Amino acid sequence: MSAIIDKLAAIVGERGLITDPQGKHPYLTDWRENYLGAALAVVRPASTEEVAAVVKLCAAERVAIVPQGGNTGMAGGGTPDQSGREIVLSLNRMNRILEIDPIGYTMTVEAGVVLETIQEAAAQHDRLFPLSLAAQGSCTIGGNLSTNAGGVHVLHYGNARQLVLGLEVVTPAGEVWDGLRALKKDNTGYDLRDLYLGAEGTLGIITRAVLKLWPRPKDTATAWIAVPSPEAAVALLSGAHAASEDNVTSCELMSRQGIDLVLKHIPGSVDPLAERHDWYVLMEWGSTRPRRAGDNASGLAEKMEGYLGEALEAGQVLDAAIAQNEAQARAFWALRENHSESQKREGPSIKHDISVSVSRIPAFMSEGLAAMKRVLPECRPVPFGHVGDGNLHFNCQGPPGWDKARFMTHAHAISGAVYDLVVSHGGSISAEHGIGQLKVDELAHYRSQIELDTMRTIKRALDPQNLMNPGKIIRV
Ligand SMILES: Cc1cc2nc3c(=O)[nH]c(=O)nc-3n(C[C@H](O)[C@H](O)[C@H](O)COP(=O)(O)OP(=O)(O)OC[C@H]3O[C@@H](n4cnc5c(N)ncnc54)[C@H](O)[C@@H]3O)c2cc1C
């Protein structure tokens, strides 16, 4: 084994190699601490050429590679197995922004750039990179593209797949595919770019990307809204598209259970409304049209206030607060963004990142809550998520005082009930987090034979030795 370590060191240097157990540890477990793997080494190349050389060496020595970005994935896709024979290939030293083209609305970056750094760089040029999620301070663009990440702006701008023009990829043979094109139109055969997006590192390693930029919103309105039911939330959103002149940029649904956990575990959290309610919507409108001083009617906040007033009369809204300044808007957002963290602090939970069509959300919600309770009456459902995309994090918190081992004995039955229901509504068992190692069995169970066969054929053709993140997404 030391022979391959020496060869890896010759490629990436001392700085690019971690072999001591303490140094490796953070790369061997996932954010949710569901998995703990082992690895021969953590390899941190500093350039595409180094990535290619590492992959070529691994192909020759038949060593499997687990690509990793910020390691914030929710499905264990970036965690190695327990054999200790795989390497983790971390992109975190490849963190340069290579070019910003404000005229053409593009940015070219290395795969290890942290998402928030990209957002800030775009803002400095009066542009917007709209991908936004609670892990943005540590997740990387390579991980975002490899999981086809969603987040809170999908309903207006699309998911990661829609935010990228070109890619550079190192193939499982260690060749470099230069698809780093900033083209809006390119109909030249099979779309290789789309193949690598969302592939969770099973087909190759994304090393660079050309991203799309948008004009930066100049006027934003953010409201914290109590609604009587998920049905009212969906109706409120439906009307908001026209009322905002198609400017709804986010629409998040939360339940009282989720808010109570945030208030309990995240210091400084404050409930924006005086009364307790069962359901909340966080809605944001954004426009590139600057707000004109002295012209109140032109502001989005005033338009939103008018719309929410009508909805209040119609019984779709019970109470609402519109943020008066940026700090207040950030406080509203913190209540949403701290959902995952507060559930982690509360104890064990089972996560279901599912989607159904938006109009099916109300029926799915009531049937799904009942289904979880039927399996384990003491469980605590905490549904929340991107209602504008039909994507719910239909999570289930363990009963108070239960440890993880005890709660997990019910995981299969609870998740089975949820996924069966999702499929009966024509939905998806993984909306934005991917399959990783978490849902390999579920994918095999719920997807059709022809889809699975086609995926396996692609995997075998591109990675015949099965060395690129083996055991993730699909077994070959
Ligand atoms: C608090 C919190 C909130 C979150 N909210 C959201 C959300 O709203 N929406 C959402 O979609 N996700 C969300 N996530 C999940 C996670 O942040 C995303 O999946 C993110 O895109 C992962 O990026 P990463 O750099 O951390 O990737 P990692 O976790 O390191 O890797 C994820 C997968 O991509 C592969 N990979 C990583 N980099 C590369 C590369 N360069 N080339 C090829 N394969 C690669 C890995 O092998 C793995 O399979 C959240 C996570 C947390 C912790």
Side-chain angles (χ1 to χ4, degrees), residues 31-32 66-79 89 91 111-112 131-136 138-152 196 199-202 204-207 336-337 340-341 353 386 391 393 431-434 436 469 472:
W31 187 85
R32 294 176 61 196
V66 181
Q68 197 179 93
N71 201 15
T72 67
M74 292 280 196
T79 310
L89 191 146
L91 281 298
L131 186 64
S132 175
L133 44 112
Q136 63 198 25
S138 46
C139 65
T140 62
I141 192 66
N144 302 147
L145 298 177
S146 299
T147 55
N148 185 24
V152 297
Y196 294 111
E200 301 183 51
T202 61
I205 299 171
I206 296 175
T207 44
R336 163 63 185 86
E337 283 168 353
S340 298
E341 183 60 38
D353 163 44
H386 316 295
N391 174 195
H393 300 307
E432 60 175 9
H433 292 162
N469 216 359
K472 313 292 164 55

